[in-house]
Amino acid sequence: MHPILLIVFLPLLAAIVAGLTNKAAPSIFAKSITTGALFVSAALSWPIFLGFVGGTYEPTVVPVLKWVQSGTLTFDWALRVDTLTAVMLVVINTVSALVHLYSWGYMEEDPDQPRFFAYLSLFTFAMLMLVTADNLVQMFFGWEGVGLASYLLIGFWFKKPSANAAAIKAFVVNRVGDLGFMLGIFGTYLVFDTVSISEILAAAPGMSGATIGFLGYNVYTMDVLCILLFIGAMGKSAQLGLHTWLPDAMEGPTPVSALIHAATMVTAGVFMVVRLSPMFETAPIALGMVTFIGAATCIFAATVGTTQWDIKRVIAYSTCSQLGYMFFAAGVGAYGAAMFHLFTHAFFKALLFLGAGSVIHAMHHEQDMRYYGNLRKHIPLTFWAMMMGTLAITGVGIYHLGIGFAGFWSKDAIIEVAFARGTELGMFAFWMGVFAALLTSFYSWRLMFLTFWGKPRWIESEHIQHSVHKTPEQAGEDTTGGYHPHESPISMLVPLGVLSIGAVLAGQIFAPTFLDDAAFWGSSIFYNEPLIHAMHAVPYWVKYSALIVMLIGLFVAWLAYIKDTSIPAKTAEQLGPIYRFLYNKWYFDELYHYLFVVPAFWLGRQFWKLGDVGTIDRFGPNGIAWVVEKGSVGARKFQTGYLYSYALVMLLGLVAAITWVLF
């Protein structure tokens, strides 16, 4: 049996068992079986990935079962294993396994642990189905599966109204993007007469320059198909316009945030674009759209992240921004660089989210950074883990020494390749990427300084103090407000340690493979070798631009949150409307409220008052029931039971039909 079968279906089996047993068995049973299954899947994934790195593993397709045979539409359920799949397997299973383990400590007091762990494993299975898909319909199955699982996980605490609202918002916004994805799949089948990914990619170059009628215009076929597919990616990966669900997804438990943001749902769009890269290479207009939207998202999310106070929301907007980097890398043709950043980002973003969860756990579920401060002395292990994540996301490293944290290798490569592309959109993406790197450094170090340095401000938090029960002795002795932050349990600290290793070394070890080894990628993506050579030849000021702006962002954050803590309030007051614009997320939620929500409610009220109250309730149900009753009395008279009566009715109908046709 091929190991890919175990890798994919073990999480599903674990989810089914944990979900069906639920509270009939102790929580330890559900936790053990789901966590064990994920660690087995992760352990089986790494040899496949390292086999592709070493060139000893060949791409293969493992059949599962016959699926659909309808006319020319024929496809099986099969698992595709190539380099791109192998990268996603280690990312998904490694992060998911660590999130499962972390949840043992984080969710310890929750009474619904079996349901939570069942949802986590179901989420992982759906993502594995997506990345191993051999055809577009199978990919869509996984695509919708992660959408369903995200709805269940974001709204896990369903008694909390804000969690229910966030889950519905994620579901609805993703349906908008999924409409584009479905239309893209339908159009692709119409053009290529197949949904097999390998057949589509083989035939795609021959469609370059072909046109098709669309909405009354003659347009380039591949551009239309790729733009529709990319709209699906915009929803799933929270790109500008369809991004509004992502920050609200923080209403779910912190392990859910780490899983959604680091390894699963939000990377699905990037994966899909890279998987179909030979298609996108024949669609220059679509690639330009990918580049522009990616760069715009990159800068938009970074600006918003500088003003947020909720520790999880800062990291959420950081995810949105980093996804923008991945998309504009794909847009300029550097698909390997996009996947490299996806790979490194999984480690340091999962680390930052789980580290934030450890801080929240220590601070009795307080998420407002204004009530943190000086925590490095109380939770030193969490502090060093988040320090590793911060050094990775801000891209600390020195080019000439050949050393750096994970983000240095992947994010800087994307900035360099955008410059090397040389097009107007490429230069736009380059400058947006550099400016976003500055803002990334500022909001990341702002988070660190507010959380781990300064005075202990938790004594000002009524939420923390009122939720802590003190003995009279403690109340008499305490001088810090009665609450002392505490380090997280070992089940939460072990994942932080493992992810810290990835944040430090993942870029250093795998940069040559992901960026420069065309043989590693094989035919799994479109590999633009001349562009990669041009990337290495960019001027030194380009190579050091990200490091320079990182240092500027670090200095500004230190100045405002350590040296003179009055600066942020003064700046916010002076900037006024600009600060409010950024703090309110560019008013996208308010804009969508008036554009879509208000009209939808108005239409609903019209149907309710005119349709239900004004018509149905006015004339029925008794009135309509009377009409039905009288009508049935008349209809019964035709049911005589005599053959000649039925023959007469049929003859009259036939005469009427012929008369209609003739005259």
Side-chain angles (χ1 to χ4, degrees):
M1 183 171 62
H2 197 285
I4 191 64
L5 294 171
L6 286 175
I7 291 171
V8 172
F9 290 108
L10 272 178
L12 174 63
L13 181 62
I16 293 172
V17 173
L20 291 179
T21 56
N22 200 5
K23 295 182 180 179
S27 296
I28 190 71
F29 175 75
K31 294 194 291 187
S32 299
I33 194 168
T34 52
T35 306
L38 262 298
F39 271 95
V40 171
S41 291
L44 293 173
S45 300
W46 277 96
I48 295 176
F49 171 69
L50 295 176
F52 279 106
V53 172
T56 59
Y57 208 99
E58 292 296 324
T60 184
V61 175
V62 179
V64 178
L65 51 81
K66 294 286 184 183
W67 199 0
V68 172
Q69 289 182 323
S70 176
T72 59
L73 181 61
T74 302
F75 53 88
D76 299 333
W77 195 351
L79 305 179
R80 180 188 182 104
V81 185
D82 57 13
T83 305
L84 186 59
T85 305
V87 171
M88 295 303 295
L89 289 179
V90 296
V91 166
I92 295 166
N93 286 316
T94 302
V95 173
S96 185
L98 293 172
V99 166
H100 274 71
L101 178 59
Y102 179 92
S103 300
W104 281 54
Y106 194 86
M107 302 295 290
E108 185 178 9
E109 299 176 0
D110 197 288
D112 285 332
Q113 292 179 65
R115 180 167 63 91
F116 179 78
F117 280 86
Y119 287 170
L120 280 185
S121 293
L122 178 65
F123 199 123
T124 306
F125 164 73
M127 191 66 190
L128 291 171
M129 283 304 308
L130 193 158
V131 301
T132 57
D134 190 44
N135 59 74
L136 292 178
V137 179
Q138 189 177 327
M139 183 183 286
F140 188 71
F141 170 79
W143 193 270
E144 293 303 296
V146 293
L148 169 64
S150 69
Y151 170 80
L152 296 173
L153 284 168
I154 294 169
F156 176 75
W157 287 319
F158 56 86
K159 294 181 181 179
K160 186 179 175 184
S162 58
N164 283 326
I168 293 171
K169 188 175 183 179
F171 201 78
V172 170
V173 173
N174 272 275
R175 295 293 72 73
V176 176
D178 291 352
L179 175 61
F181 191 42
M182 284 190 288
L183 292 175
I185 293 174
F186 297 154
T188 301
Y189 173 70
L190 179 68
V191 170
F192 293 98
D193 199 31
T194 181
V195 291
S196 169
I197 292 175
S198 56
E199 293 177 15
I200 292 169
L201 299 186
M207 291 299 297
S208 181
T211 59
I212 191 173
F214 183 74
L215 299 178
Y217 296 93
N218 202 36
V219 294
Y220 289 110
T221 304
M222 299 306 293
D223 279 312
V224 172
L225 297 182
C226 290
I227 287 173
L228 289 172
L229 293 169
F230 177 62
I231 290 172
M234 287 176 63
K236 200 64 71 183
S237 295
Q239 293 301 282
L240 188 65
L242 296 178
H243 67 279
T244 53
W245 67 270
L246 191 62
D248 289 8
M250 297 301 97
E251 291 294 336
T254 299
V256 173
S257 305
L259 197 56
I260 290 177
H261 284 248
T264 50
M265 187 168 172
V266 296
T267 60
V270 179
F271 167 81
M272 185 266 287
V273 170
V274 175
R275 169 64 82 199
L276 302 179
S277 53
M279 276 185 71
F280 278 84
E281 280 299 308
T282 64
I285 296 175
L287 276 182
M289 179 178 175
V290 173
T291 305
F292 179 80
I293 294 292
T297 304
C298 184
I299 198 66
F300 153 75
T303 58
V304 176
T306 61
T307 62
Q308 302 303 301
W309 295 110
D310 186 313
I311 188 171
K312 287 173 66 177
R313 283 183 178 267
V314 174
I315 305 174
Y317 278 106
S318 168
T319 298
C320 202
S321 181
Q322 298 304 308
L323 287 165
Y325 277 107
M326 299 175 207
F327 274 111
F328 81 66
V332 299
Y335 302 100
M339 287 305 300
F340 186 33
H341 196 48
L342 186 155
F343 179 78
T344 61
H345 175 263
F347 291 104
F348 61 71
K349 187 50 59 69
L351 175 60
L352 287 171
F353 263 116
L354 297 184
S358 185
V359 172
I360 294 167
H361 183 269
M363 297 305 296
H364 213 76
H365 304 291
E366 176 64 73
Q367 296 182 198
D368 193 325
M369 295 185 296
R370 286 171 291 189
Y371 298 115
Y372 291 171
N374 202 34
L375 289 179
R376 72 186 190 280
K377 296 179 180 179
H378 299 274
I379 47 174
L381 298 178
T382 299
F383 162 70
W384 283 111
M386 290 202 71
M387 178 61 78
M388 296 302 103
T390 301
L391 292 171
I393 193 173
T394 56
V396 174
I398 301 175
Y399 171 74
H400 276 92
L401 296 181
I403 57 172
F405 291 82
F408 165 77
W409 295 101
S410 57
K411 185 173 71 175
D412 286 27
I414 290 174
I415 292 173
E416 292 166 20
V417 81
F419 182 89
R421 187 67 180 180
T423 62
E424 290 184 4
L425 274 174
M427 293 305 297
F428 170 75
F430 165 75
W431 286 112
M432 291 300 98
V434 170
F435 188 39
L438 169 65
L439 298 178
T440 300
S441 176
F442 172 75
Y443 66 65
S444 297
W445 290 111
R446 170 180 179 262
L447 184 153
M448 291 297 291
F449 292 146
L450 281 171
T451 303
F452 296 107
W453 274 272
K455 66 178 183 178
R457 298 180 300 278
W458 62 79
I459 58 175
E460 303 168 14
S461 173
E462 294 182 3
H463 166 72
I464 294 177
Q465 299 307 325
H466 288 175
S467 59
V468 176
H469 300 286
K470 297 175 290 184
T471 65
E473 292 78 10
Q474 290 174 325
E477 295 172 3
D478 271 335
T479 58
T480 58
Y483 183 74
H484 294 282
H486 54 87
E487 191 62 273
S488 299
I490 190 69
S491 62
M492 295 171 65
L493 294 176
V494 168
L496 294 181
V498 175
L499 291 169
S500 296
I501 296 172
V504 174
L505 298 177
Q508 191 83 40
I509 295 173
F510 293 108
T513 301
F514 275 84
L515 297 176
D516 301 322
D517 191 350
F520 166 71
W521 290 111
S523 60
S524 65
I525 68 170
F526 179 87
Y527 185 81
N528 190 333
E529 196 163 357
L531 180 61
I532 299 302
H533 289 316
M535 176 192 78
H536 290 303
V538 297
Y540 286 136
W541 71 267
V542 175
K543 293 183 180 294
Y544 279 98
S545 58
L547 177 63
I548 293 170
V549 296
M550 185 279 295
L551 293 173
I552 294 172
L554 168 61
F555 175 74
V556 173
W558 172 83
L559 192 65
Y561 295 98
I562 298 295
K563 180 69 173 176
D564 184 358
T565 55
S566 66
I567 290 178
K570 292 177 182 177
T571 305
E573 185 179 355
Q574 289 175 353
L575 293 179
I578 297 176
Y579 175 80
R580 289 191 293 274
F581 179 71
L582 299 181
Y583 182 74
N584 288 287
K585 303 159 286 189
W586 291 26
Y587 291 104
F588 267 100
D589 285 312
E590 290 79 3
L591 176 65
Y592 287 175
H593 176 76
Y594 288 109
L595 280 180
F596 303 115
V597 178
V598 171
F601 273 97
W602 177 86
L603 186 62
R605 280 193 296 270
Q606 300 312 305
F607 280 122
W608 165 44
K609 292 186 176 180
L610 299 179
D612 289 353
V613 177
T615 304
I616 296 174
D617 292 344
R618 182 179 179 185
F619 299 107
N622 292 334
I624 293 176
W626 180 85
V627 172
V628 172
E629 181 184 356
K630 296 303 179 184
S632 63
V633 171
R636 279 204 303 270
K637 295 179 180 179
F638 291 97
Q639 306 299 320
T640 63
Y642 295 111
L643 182 62
Y644 57 80
S645 296
Y646 298 137
L648 176 62
V649 173
M650 292 172 64
L651 182 61
L652 290 174
L654 184 61
V655 170
I658 294 174
T659 303
W660 173 264
V661 171
L662 292 177
F663 297 102

